[in-house]
Amino acid sequence: DDTLFIPSASILDDGVYSVTIVNSCSTITSNNATVTVRGILISAHPANVRNCLGEQAFFSVFASGRGTVTYQWRRNGTNIPNATNSVYFIPTISNLDTGTYTVLITDSCGLPISSQEATLTISNGPLLTSLSQSASICANNATTLSVFATGNGTVNFQWRKNGNNILG
């Protein structure tokens, strides 16, 4: 065809284009035409974060584009004030911070693209659900103390006697 149509140009369409024209007598090649596409390419989207209450959390995005690139972080679809860098940092997470995070990235063409969603999940500390009652036993008899606890991830136990850790 005598026309090359690019229906939706992206940064990947950047390049130097030419055409070779052939007929029964000869072959000729056109001069080069450079196509420079302004747009954004996200090379790394934000990742999900799972941390404990009170810890820090951060999200980051790696994007490239021509001209000025700007960022606007969002939580649950709402802009976060002053969150306009490629990294969004929360120094001390609270339950209010849970949700879905995205970042809108805009270049000099003014057409924003959105990153993929990343979720902030807060893990809870262990929850004591049951502890056995105190015991009064005769010497040389056995007794058992037990506890039931739940929590995210691995839950470890350290028994103590009179405030001191019991080894093993």
Side-chain angles (χ1 to χ4, degrees):
D1 285 352
D2 61 355
T3 302
L4 173 65
F5 177 65
I6 302 171
S8 182
S10 75
I11 288 178
L12 300 176
D13 293 309
D14 257 16
V16 178
Y17 291 80
S18 65
V19 61
T20 300
I21 304 162
V22 179
N23 72 5
S24 61
C25 296
S26 66
T27 301
I28 62 171
T29 300
S30 71
N31 292 334
N32 292 335
T34 301
V35 174
T36 303
V37 179
R38 291 184 297 170
I40 298 163
L41 179 64
I42 298 177
S43 54
H45 289 269
N48 293 335
V49 175
R50 181 187 222 41
N51 283 348
C52 296
L53 194 64
E55 291 182 335
Q56 61 186 11
F58 75 93
F59 295 95
S60 63
V61 65
F62 294 99
S64 58
R66 291 205 165 76
T68 303
V69 176
T70 61
Y71 304 89
Q72 177 59 63
W73 285 93
R74 307 179 82 182
R75 185 179 72 245
N76 299 328
T78 302
N79 288 352
I80 302 168
N82 303 315
T84 56
N85 295 308
S86 62
V87 175
Y88 177 59
F89 176 69
I90 306 169
T92 307
I93 57 175
S94 73
N95 287 323
L96 297 176
D97 296 312
T98 60
T100 302
Y101 289 78
T102 57
V103 59
L104 290 178
I105 306 166
T106 307
D107 74 350
S108 56
C109 288
L111 297 173
I113 65 168
S114 181
S115 69
Q116 294 174 357
E117 294 180 343
T119 302
L120 173 60
T121 304
I122 296 178
S123 295
N124 296 319
L127 176 63
L128 180 65
T129 57
S130 166
L131 175 64
S132 56
Q133 298 295 317
S134 298
S136 177
I137 60 169
C138 294
N140 296 321
N141 286 334
T143 189
T144 301
L145 298 175
S146 61
V147 64
F148 295 100
T150 61
N152 294 104
T154 303
V155 178
N156 296 307
F157 300 89
Q158 173 64 59
W159 284 95
R160 299 168 57 105
K161 176 185 166 195
N162 299 327
N164 298 311
N165 289 348
I166 299 173
L167 297 178

